[in-house]
Amino acid sequence: MTDNILDNIHINFDSGSLWIMNLVLSLVMFGVALEISISDFKPLWSKPKALLVGLCSQFILLPALTFLLVFVIEPLPSIALGMFMVAACPGGNISNFISYLSKANTALSVSLTAIATMLAVIMTPLNFHFYAMLYEPSSNLIQDISISPIEMIKLVFLLLGLPLMLGMYVNYRKPKIALKIAKKLKVISLVFFICLVFIALYNNHVIFMDYVFYVFWIVLIHNLVAFSTGYSLGRVFKLPEDNLRSITIETGIQNSGLGLLLIFTFFDGLGGMALLAAFWGIWHIVSGLILAAFWNRKSVAKETIA
């Protein structure tokens, strides 16, 4: 039986590496935003159903179902905090690429990424704080740490909101240059970010190896719940297949990189939280590619939302 060591240890990640990680995540978001134009928001006004379903899946249903999952499996409090953090984050930066491979509605995927990122400035801190305080074991742990939701909102804005607005502005002023920069910047910054995550895990490989199986099965189940949430909600609202795939991917591919940075910044790399988010960041790439490979072999009658 796993003891509570993860609730008491902190992952070693120095301040210099943390600043680099902040910068890289901002560059990743800037690279994504370079390919987003004002016209991508047109579907919000013309055919908002799919977008509203996608946002509801990400910011309302997934955090709520994560709370129920935590209540059922009763993980260590720090692991529960990590699950709440990941569920509160917006869609991950590779979701648009996974949607493309899955023959999903990429226009919907891009719109959801942009709008969810904007909403995340408020929704990520609020969702995390609400569910973390609602679950008693994690509430007891978080009270010992004492974080400010306002400070978290400020950091999320700097990491996601500001780079998103700057990238969209460059796209508006110089669209051709923006697209050229985006292709290289997204790949370079994303690879760099993944390397930093691996370095953090390697520097703490003893803890990593001790809890690899305990954390992995929780991440696996949580990720399946996330994919199932998007897929099921899309079915309930009878969305076309390509829209359904996009919402499934946007809900199942979470921005765990943002979660990691918030964990290192506000929780001093709390063991269970950091390992959960790091595992998620690795696994959702694998699970997303597996899902994309499955859907890529199945044709779909596309219905755009633009």
Side-chain angles (χ1 to χ4, degrees), residues 151-194:
E151 291 302 314
M152 193 178 289
I153 288 173
K154 290 179 181 177
L155 181 60
V156 175
F157 173 75
L158 290 174
L159 293 175
L160 298 186
L162 189 58
L164 179 70
M165 291 188 292
L166 288 174
M168 290 180 63
Y169 179 74
V170 174
N171 179 289
Y172 174 74
R173 298 291 297 181
K174 304 287 184 180
K176 293 183 178 179
I177 295 176
L179 291 177
K180 288 182 180 180
I181 297 174
K183 292 179 179 179
K184 296 181 179 180
L185 183 60
K186 281 200 303 181
V187 174
I188 294 173
S189 56
L190 191 57
V191 169
F192 196 10
F193 186 84
I194 292 173

Side-chain angles (χ1 to χ4, degrees), residues 13-226:
F13 206 65
D14 60 74
S15 58
S17 297
L18 182 59
W19 273 107
I20 295 174
M21 208 171 184
N22 280 320
L23 177 61
V24 172
L25 182 60
S26 297
L27 286 174
V28 171
M29 194 64 246
F30 178 72
V32 171
L34 286 172
E35 296 182 306
I36 299 174
S37 65
I38 300 298
S39 61
D40 291 322
F41 293 92
K42 182 181 176 182
L44 181 63
W45 312 112
S46 59
K47 294 184 179 180
K49 181 179 177 180
L51 277 166
L52 292 176
V53 170
L55 293 172
C56 178
S57 177
Q58 283 184 272
F59 289 120
I60 297 178
L61 200 54
L62 179 59
L65 290 177
T66 297
F67 175 79
L68 291 178
L69 178 62
V70 165
F71 190 80
V72 170
I73 67 176
E74 297 183 345
L76 294 173
S78 62
I79 293 291
L81 284 175
M83 294 172 70
F84 294 141
M85 178 65 78
V86 169
C89 289
N93 299 311
I94 66 165
S95 60
N96 304 150
F97 175 65
I98 298 295
S99 289
Y100 171 76
L101 293 179
S102 302
K103 297 181 180 178
N105 189 333
T106 52
L108 173 60
S109 179
V110 169
S111 296
L112 277 171
T113 296
I115 297 169
T117 297
M118 290 181 176
L119 291 176
V121 173
I122 300 296
M123 293 302 296
T124 293
L126 292 187
N127 261 335
F128 170 75
H129 194 264
F130 175 76
Y131 287 105
M133 296 304 294
L134 190 62
Y135 185 62
E136 186 176 353
S138 63
S139 174
N140 294 334
L141 184 58
I142 202 173
Q143 286 175 0
D144 295 334
I145 300 172
S146 180
I147 64 168
S148 168
I150 300 300
E151 291 302 314
M152 193 178 289
I153 288 173
K154 290 179 181 177
L155 181 60
V156 175
F157 173 75
L158 290 174
L159 293 175
L160 298 186
L162 189 58
L164 179 70
M165 291 188 292
L166 288 174
M168 290 180 63
Y169 179 74
V170 174
N171 179 289
Y172 174 74
R173 298 291 297 181
K174 304 287 184 180
K176 293 183 178 179
I177 295 176
L179 291 177
K180 288 182 180 180
I181 297 174
K183 292 179 179 179
K184 296 181 179 180
L185 183 60
K186 281 200 303 181
V187 174
I188 294 173
S189 56
L190 191 57
V191 169
F192 196 10
F193 186 84
I194 292 173
C195 288
L196 283 174
V197 172
F198 274 103
I199 290 172
L201 290 175
Y202 178 77
N203 289 340
N204 301 271
H205 62 278
V206 175
I207 301 169
F208 176 85
M209 294 307 298
D210 285 345
Y211 295 94
V212 57
F213 294 110
Y214 175 74
V215 176
F216 178 74
W217 75 265
I218 294 177
V219 170
L220 180 63
I221 295 174
H222 194 197
N223 188 227
L224 283 172
V225 168

